[in-house]
Amino acid sequence: MNLGKASEKIKNLPYPLQIVLFLGPFFLFPLFDKNTYHLDLLTGVGIFALLAMGLNVVVGLTGLLNLGYAAFFGIGAYTYALLNLHWHWSFWCGLPAAGLVSMLFGFLIGMPSIRVRGDYLAITTLGFGEITRIAFNNLDQWTGGPNGLLGIARPRFFNYSFSVNPTPYLYLVLVMIALTAFFLFRMSRSKIGRALVAIREDELAASCMGVPALHVKLVAFGVSAFIAGLAGAVFAAKQTIITPDSFDFVLSVLLLAMVVLGGMGNIWGAVLGALVLGVLPELLRGFAVYRMLIFGLVMILMMIFRPQGILGSQIIRRELGSPKEKGSDGTS
Amino acid sequence: MALLEVKALSKRFGGVQALKRIDLSVEQGQIVGLIGPNGAGKTSFFNCITGLLATDEGEILFGRERENLEGLAAHRVLKKGIARTFQNLRIFRNMTLFENVAVGFHARTRSGLWDAFLRTGRFYAEEKMIHEKSMELLRFVGLDRSSSEIAQNLPYGSQKRLEIARALASEPQLLLLDEPVAGMNPTEKEELARLIRRIREKNIAILIIEHDMKVVMPLSEKIVVMDDGEKIAEGPPEIVQKDPRVVRAYLGEG
């Protein structure tokens, strides 16, 4: 297929140009399409894209399977919501705070759990995701329990107040995607980025080449959680209401599917995966009850015929850290 | 004075004594061959030195300060100056040749995540250094023309040489090679033996596990023979070859 070659060509462009080329059309989109439903959908997809980019750092680049990523999204959302409701923090102060608190939890959960990998890490993160959601559900006095938190302030931008109109949110999300892509490109084209991929390829060899694997994996976890936290704050500010069930296991799995579908380890792959899996269910609304069936079928076909994902240029074998390959170095 | 001095290194796996009080020393810039039948414990010995396996007993003294490396994590052992290759090739398959070698510089560079985010002066200086030295190393092993190729697309012999280049990137004082010529044809073997000599000329000591006697005997200044977790002989190649215990270990009682 030519897609791989095309993506190779794109990869060789300087990353600022890539960002302009990929995101430019979306910046122009609201000029041509003023349909509120479309713009709202696209904003939602943008938040998915941010999350998929963040998850890609851990799953795609570092090869650590995280099944509880929605928890970091939730922690970011609740952080901004609580800071805003109790202490009247503005969105612009709450946004970095949400990222930082989420990152802190990333380190906390990362420290004990990145010592295991593959299936075991998946189960650890799955547990963390569930615990977080249940905590949101049960810490009534703080999180409002199952009813969630309401009346979260929308952002203000100088004299402009965001309202129900989705367009400013779309621009906010697009700018955040652009900045995230910018910094992720810088990270992946550096010593740290190479170390992350080396760990994915062969953790044992990487540590024998001087990569402090635990430390580097923790950095990946932190960066990834930070991005989810930011996305959570935007989500909270857009919805103005958040409830625990917005951050459930299904979302974690959906995000993982976006990363895998788009092409693991590829920054634009994550964005594309979010776009496809975000828009597809809406396009399939005409099929009513068969919607999710077709959705599932597309995913299955995709994994059979293009297992490396839309933009993936190579099949990454170690994504789940198959025990066969991660065994200790053979004895003579 | 010895560069590496291993004293009474022991390792037990459950009921199996894999290493029984092994003593071994490598001088500065020396090539030492470690031979022995399959299952003798040679790779376990490498794994103990490089921090992949915890040792039960013994000391691993290294360098001018004679630091004990016992119990250090793998990445710290590398930083002290011991690099290695693997018996069953462990290159980073989906990375380019350049990236493979560049990872080897991790311990020798200091820039971190913020340098990468902000593209600081240190970042540019180090990346430039990494690029130049990586290309130099790829040239040294004869792979500079395919530096931007994906490693898994390379022929086996080249992958082996790539692994050596990657190990050299960390600027080691001692290089551990685990069966470097296994699976190679005679021409490739000869080339690799030449490469090993050229590495020694850089004043890097080499400890080499090798089954191919035609390669290891002429290369090594000293041969250490292991059998069943024990060191059974040590000395210059021509003497070790005639040692009755060595002959017995290889050919069996007869």
Side-chain angles (χ1 to χ4, degrees):
Chain A
M1 284 200 228
N2 292 327
L3 222 50
K5 260 185 203 156
S7 79
E8 281 303 318
K9 254 183 206 157
I10 293 165
K11 251 185 224 166
N12 293 331
L13 294 176
Y15 59 87
L17 189 62
Q18 285 186 38
I19 293 171
V20 172
L21 284 179
F22 266 91
L23 298 178
F26 294 103
F27 274 94
L28 300 178
F29 186 81
L31 301 180
F32 300 104
D33 189 340
K34 303 214 186 297
N35 182 324
T36 313
Y37 162 70
H38 289 169
L39 293 171
D40 198 56
L41 173 67
L42 203 57
T43 310
V45 166
I47 293 176
F48 278 149
L50 269 177
L51 289 167
M53 286 163 98
L55 184 60
N56 182 44
V57 173
V58 162
V59 177
L61 286 180
T62 324
L64 303 171
L65 189 54
N66 183 345
L67 283 181
Y69 194 59
F72 298 116
F73 180 47
I75 289 168
Y78 273 90
T79 302
Y80 168 58
L82 290 171
L83 288 173
N84 176 260
L85 293 174
H86 291 279
W87 294 284
H88 309 289
W89 282 42
S90 76
F91 173 75
W92 304 109
C93 298
L95 183 69
L100 289 173
V101 170
S102 179
M103 186 168 75
L104 191 71
F105 276 91
F107 289 142
L108 280 179
I109 181 67
M111 263 185 274
S113 57
I114 52 177
R115 284 159 209 279
V116 296
R117 66 174 297 159
D119 333 13
Y120 304 102
L121 179 68
I123 291 169
T124 318
T125 51
L126 174 73
F128 169 67
E130 283 305 282
I131 289 168
T132 310
R133 187 183 57 80
I134 293 166
F136 290 150
N137 222 355
N138 293 327
L139 292 171
D140 289 42
Q141 69 275 36
W142 280 98
T143 63
N147 298 329
L149 295 168
L150 7 142
I152 304 158
R154 295 176 184 277
R156 286 181 60 87
F157 191 62
F158 295 104
N159 284 327
Y160 179 81
S161 292
F162 284 47
S163 62
V164 231
N165 178 9
T167 315
Y169 286 104
L170 178 61
Y171 282 121
L172 170 68
V173 170
L174 283 172
V175 169
M176 284 176 65
I177 293 175
L179 286 174
T180 307
F182 181 76
F183 284 112
L184 287 184
F185 267 114
R186 286 194 155 187
M187 182 180 83
S188 70
R189 292 173 183 193
S190 77
K191 177 183 158 189
I192 295 282
R194 287 190 296 262
L196 292 176
V197 179
I199 287 172
R200 180 190 76 199
E201 295 289 301
D202 191 330
E203 183 172 343
L204 190 136
S207 30
C208 281
M209 289 331 298
V211 175
L214 283 183
H215 172 86
V216 173
K217 284 197 280 186
L218 209 54
V219 168
F221 239 73
V223 168
S224 157
F226 183 80
I227 296 169
L230 296 183
V234 176
F235 179 76
K238 177 175 173 288
Q239 301 300 108
T240 70
I241 302 168
I242 51 169
T243 54
D245 52 349
S246 305
F247 313 106
D248 61 356
F249 177 61
V250 178
L251 176 63
S252 293
V253 173
L254 186 66
L255 293 170
L256 188 66
M258 290 170 181
V259 173
V260 175
L261 185 83
M264 299 239 286
N266 186 311
I267 291 171
W268 297 124
V271 178
L272 207 60
L275 189 66
V276 171
L277 290 193
V279 173
L280 198 61
E282 300 303 317
L283 292 179
L284 295 174
R285 274 202 189 277
F287 296 93
V289 286
Y290 300 107
R291 186 161 73 112
M292 291 324 273
L293 196 71
I294 298 171
F295 183 79
L297 200 65
V298 169
M299 296 272 292
I300 292 170
L301 290 175
M302 183 72 196
M303 285 303 103
I304 292 173
F305 293 108
R306 201 172 163 77
Q308 69 271 50
I310 304 171
L311 291 185
S313 51
Q314 64 249 191
I315 301 169
I316 293 152
R317 291 195 200 84
R318 297 180 52 90
E319 65 270 40
L320 304 181
S322 66
K324 195 168 70 233
E325 285 192 72
K326 69 170 188 240
S328 71
D329 182 45
T331 44
S332 63
Chain B
M1 194 190 72
L3 174 67
L4 173 76
E5 190 170 0
V6 178
K7 285 183 179 169
L9 193 75
S10 296
K11 175 70 192 173
R12 174 183 282 281
F13 293 113
V16 183
Q17 187 79 43
L19 298 172
K20 295 173 198 160
R21 300 185 64 79
I22 304 280
D23 296 311
L24 187 147
S25 68
V26 181
E27 306 288 325
Q28 203 102 42
Q30 193 182 29
I31 300 183
V32 176
L34 182 59
I35 64 169
N38 284 326
K42 306 182 297 292
T43 297
S44 297
F45 181 73
F46 268 25
N47 288 349
C48 284
I49 295 179
T50 51
L52 294 182
L53 277 177
T55 56
D56 295 338
E57 246 181 277
E59 287 183 311
I60 304 162
L61 304 172
F62 183 72
R64 211 168 298 154
E65 277 98 53
R66 297 175 65 76
E67 264 178 289
N68 193 353
L69 304 186
E70 198 267 312
L72 283 189
H75 67 273
R76 295 194 198 281
V77 173
L78 179 104
K79 204 167 182 178
K80 298 286 179 198
I82 303 182
R84 71 171 291 176
T85 65
F86 297 89
Q87 183 184 357
N88 41 356
L89 206 64
R90 303 188 83 130
I91 52 166
F92 306 125
R93 283 188 299 256
N94 289 311
M95 297 172 87
T96 66
L97 270 60
F98 160 71
E99 286 167 334
N100 262 273
V101 179
V103 170
F105 285 99
H106 198 99
R108 296 282 170 253
T109 46
R110 295 185 49 215
S111 65
L113 188 59
W114 286 106
D115 293 295
F117 278 160
L118 304 174
R119 290 294 196 246
T120 57
R122 177 158 77 178
F123 173 86
Y124 282 116
E126 285 190 352
E127 283 294 309
K128 187 164 172 268
M129 183 278 282
I130 290 172
H131 193 263
E132 280 167 7
K133 287 198 176 174
S134 298
M135 295 309 280
E136 200 181 299
L137 281 168
L138 284 171
R139 201 171 311 127
F140 181 73
V141 300
L143 291 171
D144 51 320
R145 251 172 277 160
S146 31
S147 67
S148 54
E149 278 211 54
I150 300 291
Q152 64 178 354
N153 299 339
L154 243 54
Y156 179 76
S158 307
Q159 293 188 355
K160 282 265 184 187
R161 280 184 285 150
L162 173 64
E163 207 186 20
I164 293 176
R166 183 182 70 179
L168 290 175
S170 63
E171 292 158 16
Q173 288 173 272
L174 173 64
L175 181 63
L176 307 184
L177 299 174
D178 197 346
E179 297 196 23
V181 306
M184 285 186 170
N185 66 38
T187 334
E188 286 175 322
K189 282 181 184 177
E190 222 169 90
E191 261 173 47
L192 205 84
R194 263 202 302 275
L195 178 63
I196 291 170
R197 286 205 177 86
R198 280 164 55 217
I199 294 169
R200 201 254 316 261
E201 281 163 20
K202 292 183 163 205
N203 202 25
I204 296 170
I206 296 164
L207 179 58
I208 174 173
I209 295 179
E210 189 46 69
H211 280 296
D212 193 321
M213 296 302 147
K214 283 196 204 97
V215 173
V216 74
M217 288 298 172
L219 213 50
S220 311
E221 286 143 64
K222 181 169 85 175
I223 296 279
V224 175
V225 191
M226 279 175 72
D227 185 27
D228 201 18
E230 268 179 289
K231 184 168 87 173
I232 58 169
E234 180 175 0
E238 54 280 6
I239 293 172
V240 164
Q241 268 171 316
K242 294 182 189 114
D243 190 310
R245 292 188 67 186
V246 177
V247 176
R248 210 178 311 135
Y250 270 91
L251 301 176
E253 309 279 344

